């Protein structure tokens, strides 16, 4: 099995849910907001968030897995922070391809129900999503 | 397994871990064969090539004199980096002294910046911080961080992390803290307290080593104390960046004088914790820390030869863990690396010496000597954004993300990488010649750059702001991840061409990935191929 479930897949799944509802949405690049938002999912979605661990640091808890997932998706061109005021990620078409070709099946095989993913996305949408002006 | 059974088993594993650490500490702290007849009476000065004179209190000399710390002389700070950068032979021992010095300098800088009657760091804080600095790396073993990745997977340490006592910290920090809290060390510290009429708080020092900022003993108002040992610009970072740069010969620019001159303690947020902050005019040293880390990772730590040698070391340890190789032996103990503490018994020297104990035809003997004499695996494929064919296409990005995610830590991603290696060997039709110890799919993790979000600078108005708000350091880190990061397939030199072609096919079969000729050219493959030359177009 060369495609184990990782934090990357959960992140792609959640972002896809947000993006599918509004593909003009931008994802905040504010690291504190992102980590706080995903930490808030830990309590209510324990199985979904099993791939994420959080470590309390100076003012907020951080997840090494979330950092790595964001870095991986950025390196693959699926997310990008190249903008004049780099406060947000733009999402490329690659997110949909990634989700459709790989992540959807990985999540299904890991037992992640679509309604669970949708609920998690809904919970963090307001915290991490920004509509383009 | 029921919850109760699991909890019981975890508890037993934790107990075993603690008793193993007590046994280890007894050997390196209480062994009568190495006991001194008396404690030092005077302070001592040690000269360091980077920081000049380092002054130690007599009880610190007594600690440093223990075999527990003397063994750090035989553990290289950067493990096998010296195979590429020959100057990198500096040890964890020197680094420990350097951290002690940086700890004192940070403390002196902060205390010197405040009114004479108010010292942010009181004498007891300083004494315990220095104890934490001394012990912070005693949980390292042979090959430093390479072993750390391996013993992080041991069931006893995993059980401890899952236990109520477990903290979210690096594995070596956990072992260092547990050693500090062990019975032999506690007994020795009590003797020091009596001898020198001082009080030492090992529990507090252990918490600082692990970076604990909450919990029963933490004081949120004094979070700045933890940051000296475990923070965004802590003493550890300030030493290793300079030390690794100095000995590798890779220059980094880091204005430490400026950093110390502007370091202060301020509350962050209304009623928030007091933290180490910088004056806004002195944010440059903080940016330099991030930039220096980026450079060191790209040039030194993740050099392909360094990664190849790390894979070979990993193969040796795994062959012992899975029983295909005879157990290692030291101090009359047979060790199979099933327990995290097994690693602590070895330094770099004793690891290499293990080969001498075995016959020349023993596979472990050959493997150890292959590492020792730099007969390293070679690259068969370079995996990066720029070696991909059609790298701007959404399909390519999606496939690349699936491969790159194997750099997440954990058993599942590790198993996936090993499975890819098996597939490559099978595709190359070399299964009767090679085994998985010979071929590695190396997908390195990215260095973490949380410092910019965890460090605050104070504007002239007194408002604290994050460094990341003032300067988007993430541009550097994103560029590293995209253009400097490299994954590889490693293999024995004589099978490079076959493995190169097999890897191209396997990555296409599994992920639909297509590589250009540069993937082989960058690996110095004699006849570099492209995926399109070997495979039919389109993913399977």
């Amino acid at each position: 099995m060369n495609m184990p479930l990782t934090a990357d897949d959960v992140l792609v799944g959640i972002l896809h849910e947000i993006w599918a509802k509004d593909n003009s949405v931008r994802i905040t690049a504010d690291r504190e907001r992102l980590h706080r938002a995903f930490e808030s999912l830990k309590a209510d979605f324990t199985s979904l968030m099993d791939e994420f661990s959080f470590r309390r640091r100076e003012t907020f808890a951080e997840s090494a897995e979330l950092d790595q997932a964001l870095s991986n998706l950025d390196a693959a061109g699926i997310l990008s922070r190249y903008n004049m005021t780099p406060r947000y990620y733009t999402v490329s078409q690659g997110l949909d391809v990634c989700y459709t070709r790989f992540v959807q099946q990985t999540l299904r095989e890991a037992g992640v129900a679509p309604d669970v993913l949708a609920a998690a996305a809904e919970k963090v949408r307001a915290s991490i999503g920004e509509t383009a002006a | 397994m029921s919850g109760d059974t699991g909890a019981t088993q975890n508890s037993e594993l934790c107990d075993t871990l603690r008793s193993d650490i007590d046994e280890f500490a007894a050997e390196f702290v209480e062994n009568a064969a190495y006991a001194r007849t008396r404690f030092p009476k005077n302070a001592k000065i040690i000269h360091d090539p980077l920081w000049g004179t380092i002054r130690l209190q007599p009880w610190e000399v007594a600690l440093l004199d223990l075999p527990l710390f003397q063994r750090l002389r035989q553990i290289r700070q950067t493990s096998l980096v010296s195979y590429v950068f020959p100057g990198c032979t500096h040890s964890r021992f020197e680094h420990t002294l350097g951290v002690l010095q940086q700890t004192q300098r940070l403390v002196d800088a902060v205390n010197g910046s405040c009114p004479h009657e108010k010292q942010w760091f009181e004498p007891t804080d300083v004494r315990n911080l220095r104890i934490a600095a001394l012990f912070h790396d005693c949980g390292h073993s042979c090959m430093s961080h390479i072993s750390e990745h391996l013993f992080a997977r041991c069931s006893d340490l995993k059980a401890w992390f899952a236990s109520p006592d477990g903290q979210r910290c690096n594995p070596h920090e956990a072992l260092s803290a547990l050693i500090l809290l062990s019975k032999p060390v506690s007994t020795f510290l009590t003797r020091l307290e009596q001898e020198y009429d001082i009080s030492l708080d090992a529990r507090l020092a252990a918490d600082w080593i692990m970076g604990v900022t909450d919990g029963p003993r933490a004081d949120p108002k004094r979070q700045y104390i933890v940051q000296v040992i475990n923070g965004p610009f802590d003493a550890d970072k300030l030493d290793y960046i300079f030390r690794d740069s100095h000995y590798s010969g890779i220059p980094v620019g880091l204005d430490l004088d400026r950093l110390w001159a502007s370091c202060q303690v301020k509350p962050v947020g209304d009623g928030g914790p007091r933290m180490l902050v910088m004056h806004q005019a002195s944010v440059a040293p903080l940016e330099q820390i991030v930039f220096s880390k980026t450079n060191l990772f790209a040039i030194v730590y993740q050099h392909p030869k360094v990664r190849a040698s790390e894979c070979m070391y990993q193969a040796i340890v795994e062959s012992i863990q899975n029983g295909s190789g005879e157990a290692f032996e030291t101090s009359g103990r047979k060790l199979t690396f099933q327990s995290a503490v097994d690693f602590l018994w070895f330094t770099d020297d004793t690891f290499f010496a293990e080969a001498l104990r075995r016959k020349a035809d023993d596979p472990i003997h050959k493997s150890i000597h292959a590492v020792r004499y730099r007969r390293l695996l070679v690259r068969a494929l370079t995996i990066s954004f720029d070696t991909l064919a059609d790298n701007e296409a959404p399909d390519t990005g999606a496939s690349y993300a699936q491969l790159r995610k194997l750099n997440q830590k954990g058993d599942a991603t590790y198993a996936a990488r090993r499975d890819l290696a098996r597939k490559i060997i099978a595709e190359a039709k070399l299964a009767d010649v090679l085994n998985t110890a010979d071929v590695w799919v190396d997908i390195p993790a990215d260095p973490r750059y949380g410092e910019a979000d965890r460090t605050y600078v104070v504007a002239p108005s007194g408002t604290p702001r994050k460094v990341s708000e003032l300067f988007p350091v993430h541009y550097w880190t994103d560029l590293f991840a995209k253009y400097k990061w490299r994954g590889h397939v490693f293999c024995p030199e004589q099978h490079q061409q076959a493995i190169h072609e097999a890897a191209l096919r396997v990555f296409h079969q599994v992920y639909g990935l297509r590589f250009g000729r540069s993937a082989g050219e960058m690996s110095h493959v004699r006849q570099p191929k492209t995926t399109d030359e070997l495979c039919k177009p389109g993913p399977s």
Side-chain angles (χ1 to χ4, degrees):
Chain A
M1 172 55 184
N2 298 119
M3 299 195 202
L5 180 72
T6 67
D8 305 54
D9 301 304
V10 177
L11 177 61
V12 167
I14 287 175
L15 293 182
H16 187 264
E17 284 287 324
I18 294 174
W19 191 68
K21 284 203 160 85
D22 179 2
N23 63 9
S24 70
V25 75
R26 304 185 304 204
I27 305 299
T28 184
D30 185 312
R31 196 165 163 274
E32 180 170 348
R33 277 174 63 187
L34 282 165
H35 283 262
R36 283 188 185 278
F38 277 80
E39 194 198 10
S40 74
L41 294 177
K42 252 312 220 188
D44 296 332
F45 302 92
T46 46
S47 181
L48 178 71
M49 296 300 290
D50 205 34
E51 299 301 321
F52 295 78
S53 61
F54 288 85
R55 177 175 179 177
R56 173 70 45 189
R57 289 289 200 172
E58 276 72 16
T59 52
F60 61 96
E62 301 180 342
S63 167
E65 296 82 9
L66 178 59
D67 274 340
Q68 186 63 78
L70 287 164
S71 182
N72 286 340
L73 295 182
D74 197 313
I78 289 172
L79 299 177
S80 172
R81 284 189 283 192
Y82 291 129
N83 42 77
M84 287 302 291
T85 55
R87 308 284 184 232
Y88 56 86
Y89 284 101
T90 50
V91 178
S92 77
Q93 191 67 32
L95 179 75
D96 188 54
V97 176
C98 191
Y99 179 78
T100 309
R101 274 186 63 194
F102 300 106
V103 172
Q104 194 171 26
Q105 182 180 349
T106 302
L107 290 170
R108 187 169 51 237
E109 288 173 0
V112 176
D115 59 334
V116 169
L117 191 68
E122 190 56 38
K123 183 166 179 178
V124 296
R125 182 192 312 276
S127 304
I128 68 173
E130 296 180 1
T131 304
Chain B
M1 180 185 297
S2 72
D4 285 345
T5 309
T8 303
Q9 190 172 46
N10 267 5
S11 177
E12 287 170 359
L13 284 167
C14 288
D15 289 342
T16 304
L17 177 70
R18 287 194 189 86
S19 72
D20 285 348
I21 286 181
D22 280 346
E23 186 184 341
F24 165 79
E27 170 73 16
F28 287 90
V29 175
E30 290 181 336
N31 191 325
Y34 311 121
R36 296 285 192 196
T37 54
R38 56 177 186 269
F39 284 128
K41 288 213 178 305
N42 302 314
K44 192 168 193 162
I45 288 175
I46 295 178
H47 295 278
D48 180 74
L50 290 186
W51 310 128
T53 51
I54 300 175
R55 186 182 172 87
L56 283 90
Q57 299 296 337
W59 56 88
E60 293 165 349
V61 177
L63 278 169
L64 208 64
D65 197 43
L66 291 171
L68 180 65
F69 292 97
Q70 292 299 312
R71 68 183 261 282
L72 296 179
R73 294 180 188 270
Q74 284 92 43
I75 297 175
R76 289 187 181 173
Q77 176 75 11
T78 52
S79 53
L80 298 167
V81 165
S82 61
Y83 284 179
V84 181
F85 298 91
C88 276
T89 54
H90 52 298
S91 70
R92 289 266 156 204
F93 185 82
E94 299 148 57
H95 167 64
T96 295
L97 289 171
V99 173
L100 187 69
Q101 180 72 337
Q102 292 303 313
T103 297
Q104 190 64 54
R105 289 199 176 173
L106 266 173
V107 164
D108 291 344
V110 171
N111 276 352
S113 71
C114 48
H116 184 70
E117 65 277 10
K118 181 181 178 59
Q119 298 282 275
W120 290 113
F121 295 95
E122 293 162 11
T124 48
D125 298 328
V126 180
R127 194 180 311 127
N128 290 319
L129 269 173
R130 288 172 65 97
I131 293 294
L134 279 177
F135 275 88
H136 88 286
D137 265 356
C138 69
H140 266 302
S141 71
C142 61
M143 308 302 167
S144 292
H145 289 294
I146 318 174
S147 281
E148 187 179 19
H149 296 317
L150 297 176
F151 64 64
R153 301 209 302 259
C154 291
S155 53
D156 51 357
L157 194 56
K158 278 188 184 177
W160 182 84
F161 278 120
S163 71
D165 288 339
Q167 298 292 338
R168 292 272 174 222
C169 62
N170 292 324
H172 83 271
E173 292 168 349
L175 288 186
S176 297
L178 288 169
I179 289 170
L180 174 53
L181 297 171
S182 67
K183 292 193 186 88
V185 172
S186 295
T187 303
F188 191 81
L189 290 178
T190 302
R191 288 177 59 201
L192 291 179
E193 288 178 312
Q194 291 163 353
E195 173 75 19
Y196 298 103
D197 193 25
I198 55 173
S199 68
L200 300 168
D201 193 332
R203 181 76 256 183
L204 207 51
D207 280 352
W208 294 342
I209 287 171
M210 293 188 287
V212 176
T213 55
D214 51 13
R217 286 175 299 277
D219 182 354
K221 296 297 180 194
R222 307 186 79 209
Q223 200 167 306
Y224 59 90
I225 298 185
V226 185
Q227 289 183 302
V228 174
I229 292 292
N230 203 318
F233 55 95
D234 56 33
D236 185 29
K237 206 169 271 116
L238 296 181
D239 183 79
Y240 85 69
I241 286 177
F242 260 107
R243 197 169 296 275
D244 293 353
S245 156
H246 174 81
Y247 285 104
S248 65
I250 304 297
V252 295
L254 180 46
D255 189 353
L256 275 185
D257 282 339
R258 188 65 187 246
L259 186 146
W260 291 319
S262 53
C263 198
Q264 48 191 293
V265 171
K266 290 272 186 221
V268 173
D270 287 332
R274 290 202 187 93
M275 294 169 52
L276 288 177
V277 300
M278 307 291 295
H279 192 276
Q280 183 169 312
S282 301
V283 74
L286 301 172
E287 295 162 3
Q288 288 161 2
I289 286 174
V290 175
F291 190 73
S292 301
K293 251 180 89 169
T294 309
N295 263 347
L296 283 173
F297 268 90
I299 301 170
V300 179
Y301 307 140
Q302 292 192 352
H303 190 284
K305 283 296 182 198
V306 174
R307 299 292 301 187
S309 59
E310 291 174 1
C311 290
M312 293 171 71
Y313 170 78
Q314 195 166 331
I316 294 167
V317 171
E318 284 177 4
S319 68
I320 305 300
Q321 287 175 325
N322 66 28
S324 59
E326 184 197 327
F328 272 39
E329 195 172 319
T330 186
S331 303
R333 288 174 176 77
K334 285 196 184 297
L335 299 164
T336 59
F337 300 111
Q338 301 291 346
S339 154
V341 185
D342 284 0
F343 290 82
L344 291 177
W345 290 94
F346 289 94
T347 61
D348 298 0
D349 295 30
T350 52
F351 177 83
F352 284 122
E354 175 65 24
L356 304 177
R357 196 178 65 76
R358 297 167 185 255
K359 292 199 168 100
D361 59 355
D362 183 327
I364 298 293
H365 171 101
K366 292 181 193 175
S367 299
I368 292 176
H369 275 178
V371 176
R372 187 176 190 179
Y373 298 126
R374 206 178 179 277
R375 296 299 184 262
L376 304 177
L377 298 175
V378 299
R379 293 167 282 177
L381 193 75
T382 299
I383 302 163
S384 68
F385 181 76
D386 52 312
T387 62
L388 294 169
D390 200 12
N391 55 16
E392 299 285 347
D395 275 6
T396 306
S399 298
Y400 184 49
Q402 285 301 298
L403 176 60
R404 218 178 184 280
K405 78 177 190 182
L406 298 187
N407 62 8
Q408 292 277 12
K409 289 181 184 167
D411 295 338
T413 48
Y414 179 77
R417 295 195 302 273
R418 304 312 287 130
D419 191 53
L420 280 172
R422 270 188 286 276
K423 283 186 161 70
I424 291 170
I425 293 170
E427 181 70 26
K429 298 183 173 41
L430 290 171
D432 54 347
V433 176
L434 298 176
N435 61 47
T436 48
D438 299 312
V439 176
W440 290 80
V441 176
D442 183 46
I443 311 288
D446 293 309
R448 296 190 64 206
Y449 298 102
E451 292 90 347
D453 285 301
R454 294 165 48 205
T455 308
Y456 288 81
V457 295
V458 179
S461 63
T463 308
R465 298 177 66 191
K466 288 182 199 165
V467 170
S468 57
E469 292 173 16
L470 294 173
F471 181 76
V473 293
H474 72 268
Y475 276 129
W476 294 339
T477 63
D478 289 354
L479 286 171
F480 168 88
K482 203 152 193 156
Y483 297 105
K484 291 279 198 182
W485 181 92
R486 298 275 186 271
H488 294 96
V489 175
F490 294 121
C491 70
E493 186 178 12
Q494 61 269 40
H495 301 292
Q496 185 192 42
Q497 187 69 40
I499 295 295
H500 166 69
E501 296 181 20
L504 287 171
R505 289 196 193 92
V506 166
F507 286 127
H508 187 251
Q509 288 161 10
V510 176
Y511 299 103
L513 272 171
R514 295 162 47 238
F515 287 91
R517 202 174 306 283
S518 59
E521 287 169 345
M522 289 178 71
S523 294
H524 306 295
V525 176
R526 287 197 181 189
Q527 295 170 23
K529 306 287 185 191
T530 68
T531 302
D532 289 345
E533 287 171 348
L534 298 176
C535 307
K536 288 183 182 170
S540 59

